[in-house]
Amino acid sequence: MVLRQSKLLTKEKLKIQIVENLEELKLHADSWNQIVFESTQQLPMTSYAWVSSYFEHYVEVDESWFCVFAYNDSELVGVLPLIVTPQRFFGFNFSLLVTRRASQSCSLDIVAALGLENIVIPVLIDAARQFCPHHLGMVFNRLPENSPTIAALEGMSDIILVKELDSMMGAHLKITGCFDEYLKNLSGNLKSTIKRSGKKLYQLEGVKTIFLKGSDATEKHLPQLIEVETASWKRTKGHLIANSSIDVSFYTNLTRRLSEAGWLEWQLIEAEGKTIAINLAIKLKRSTIIWKLAYDESYSKLSPGTILFEQVVKSAYEDKVDEINLISDFSWYDNWKMAKRPHYTIKVYSSHKPISLMFGLLPAYVLRKLKVLKRQFTKRYQIFSN
């Protein structure tokens, strides 16, 4: 169906709508979420549920936002959300169109219907450029290497594209073969931890592993995540949701909207009358995405986080998803034989606009060169010091 549609669709047939307020944004929610559910990227951060929650709470006072929607007749086929952030050069005010990388969101991408990306994405880009004609450029932060946006932008002739490798890889576990075979290939240390700690853990009073899905998974379980996170290592070294009323409001609205979309999943271990490990997960068509993980540090000798993750992997095999995506990259992911996915920052400048080239591309080019020189200097200094 998608392939037949892609042969008939041309950019001239697409209808563009620009939305700048949350009430109108909600009118597109179901169709927008459905495109994300089916998409190549399988990233919930690109959905209505996530974008609306982020725009509601984290856009700065001097910023604004807008979303570009592309329709083929009555069918939504593409969405481009952007934040308009001010830039000032030599006393002149300009704007930059960005998808922000933040602790509450990352890898915010353009989303388009499967098979139509190369037609739809350039139209969305052109519509955004026309809506903000005096912008300096666009910045798409931390796009995964499998993003159709990258290929679509590389095919546009009237832009200058700067592609930079992001400093943080993304880790994901490919679900192939069977669960028992996967466990056999884990290291002896990890298998020993799972066996030893699991035996001790399940001796606790009232211990049980619970996966809340569908109508059972709602924002009402967010306080459990906040409580466990506060009892975790993050209380001294990390960023706690509990420390920010804005973060609490954001995650309340986010989990409510993810629940309404049918994507939210709470993965948890309960023991001794309380939650001791919990994950905030999102289930899309081909992926399970784990956005938040936490365990009560007072139970660390029983490795509840490890035991819970083993059950998450087992569930992924049962559900026959393609991957578990942890978005970020930490050393402990290697213990689970996770693959790494490069991410890129993509900067887009209009090749025919002097302002974009002079105040957008040129400063970005100079900054990039300075970073390279800094790395080279640091490396040479370290060699000299040794």
Side-chain angles (χ1 to χ4, degrees):
M1 182 66 178
V2 172
L3 292 177
R4 185 164 70 244
Q5 193 180 44
S6 65
K7 291 179 180 178
L8 298 174
L9 184 65
T10 63
K11 63 180 182 179
E12 289 78 17
K13 292 183 179 180
L14 293 176
K15 297 178 182 178
I16 296 297
Q17 294 183 31
I18 307 287
V19 171
E20 298 179 88
N21 65 75
L22 293 171
E23 290 76 16
E24 285 188 52
L25 207 63
K26 190 175 181 179
L27 300 176
H28 305 268
D30 293 340
S31 298
W32 182 354
N33 283 341
Q34 186 58 37
I35 294 178
V36 173
F37 186 78
E38 302 274 350
S39 67
T40 299
Q41 303 98 310
Q42 294 285 281
L43 291 174
M45 290 79 71
T46 64
S47 67
Y48 163 78
W50 210 294
V51 171
S52 61
S53 300
Y54 189 87
F55 283 173
E56 188 173 2
H57 296 287
Y58 294 114
V59 176
E60 301 291 342
V61 174
D62 59 348
E63 296 177 329
S64 60
W65 62 264
F66 66 95
C67 277
V68 186
F69 294 90
Y71 277 87
N72 178 30
D73 293 327
S74 61
E75 181 185 4
L76 182 65
V77 294
V79 187
L80 167 56
L82 288 167
I83 293 174
V84 184
T85 184
Q87 301 285 303
R88 190 171 178 82
F89 289 100
F90 305 111
F92 294 97
N93 294 319
F94 301 100
S95 61
L96 197 63
L97 309 182
V98 305
T99 60
R100 180 178 291 129
R101 176 180 177 178
S103 59
Q104 303 82 13
S105 184
C106 66
S107 299
L108 175 56
D109 199 354
I110 303 173
V111 63
L114 275 175
L116 304 179
E117 295 94 343
N118 287 339
I119 298 172
V120 173
I121 290 174
V123 173
L124 292 170
I125 292 290
D126 287 340
R129 292 197 292 177
Q130 291 173 20
F131 185 70
C132 291
H134 302 300
H135 73 278
L136 299 179
M138 298 183 186
V139 179
F140 297 92
N141 280 294
R142 202 170 182 272
L143 299 188
E145 66 172 354
N146 65 339
S147 168
T149 299
I150 298 174
L153 289 173
E154 288 174 340
M156 294 181 67
S157 59
D158 63 339
I159 63 171
I160 296 175
L161 200 65
V162 178
K163 181 179 177 183
E164 300 174 348
L165 183 66
D166 191 84
S167 58
M168 183 171 68
M169 302 282 277
H172 64 284
L173 178 61
K174 297 178 180 179
I175 305 301
T176 58
C178 70
F179 179 63
D180 289 339
E181 290 177 354
Y182 167 73
L183 286 183
K184 287 180 182 178
N185 290 323
L186 296 178
S187 70
N189 285 339
L190 182 54
K191 286 187 287 188
S192 176
T193 297
I194 293 172
K195 184 177 180 179
R196 183 182 65 255
S197 298
K199 184 177 180 180
K200 294 179 180 178
L201 178 65
Y202 285 101
Q203 290 176 350
L204 295 178
E205 181 181 352
V207 64
K208 53 185 175 180
T209 302
I210 303 170
F211 281 43
L212 297 171
K213 306 177 182 181
S215 59
D216 294 327
T218 71
E219 69 277 11
K220 292 180 181 179
H221 298 279
L222 178 63
Q224 291 170 255
L225 171 64
I226 294 174
E227 182 180 357
V228 176
E229 189 184 59
T230 304
S232 73
W233 61 270
K234 290 184 180 181
R235 70 181 185 273
T236 56
K237 298 179 182 177
H239 178 86
L240 294 176
I241 296 174
N243 288 344
S244 168
S245 60
I246 296 177
D247 287 354
V248 172
S249 296
F250 165 74
Y251 277 105
T252 300
N253 288 335
L254 173 63
T255 51
R256 174 176 55 82
R257 288 167 178 151
L258 289 172
S259 176
E260 290 169 351
W263 299 350
L264 182 63
E265 181 170 299
W266 294 108
Q267 306 160 344
L268 51 95
I269 293 179
E270 290 184 350
E272 299 182 333
K274 62 180 180 179
T275 303
I276 65 171
I278 185 168
N279 298 338
L280 192 173
I282 304 102
K283 296 293 288 294
L284 299 183
K285 185 174 183 178
R286 299 183 302 280
S287 298
T288 296
I289 297 91
I290 299 181
W291 180 251
K292 285 282 185 180
L293 316 94
Y295 68 87
D296 188 327
E297 200 170 26
S298 64
Y299 291 86
S300 60
K301 291 183 179 180
L302 303 180
S303 305
T306 299
I307 304 304
L308 178 57
F309 193 76
E310 181 208 13
Q311 293 302 307
V312 170
V313 176
K314 183 178 180 180
S315 176
Y317 273 93
E318 292 171 350
D319 293 343
K320 294 180 169 48
V321 299
D322 292 347
E323 68 176 28
I324 300 172
N325 189 351
L326 284 96
I327 305 297
S328 56
D329 185 23
F330 290 95
S331 58
W332 69 265
Y333 297 168
D334 296 334
N335 298 333
W336 295 93
K337 305 293 184 182
M338 294 189 191
K340 301 300 172 67
R341 178 175 288 142
H343 287 66
Y344 297 91
T345 294
I346 305 296
K347 299 177 181 179
V348 181
Y349 304 99
S350 297
S351 59
H352 59 284
K353 289 189 175 182
I355 289 179
S356 179
L357 299 177
M358 184 176 298
F359 297 111
L361 176 62
L362 183 58
Y365 176 80
V366 171
L367 182 61
R368 188 179 184 185
K369 285 294 184 182
L370 288 174
K371 288 180 179 178
V372 172
L373 290 173
K374 182 180 179 181
R375 286 197 298 269
Q376 291 175 344
F377 175 80
T378 302
K379 185 176 180 180
R380 290 177 182 175
Y381 177 78
Q382 289 173 342
I383 293 173
F384 178 77
S385 299
N386 293 334

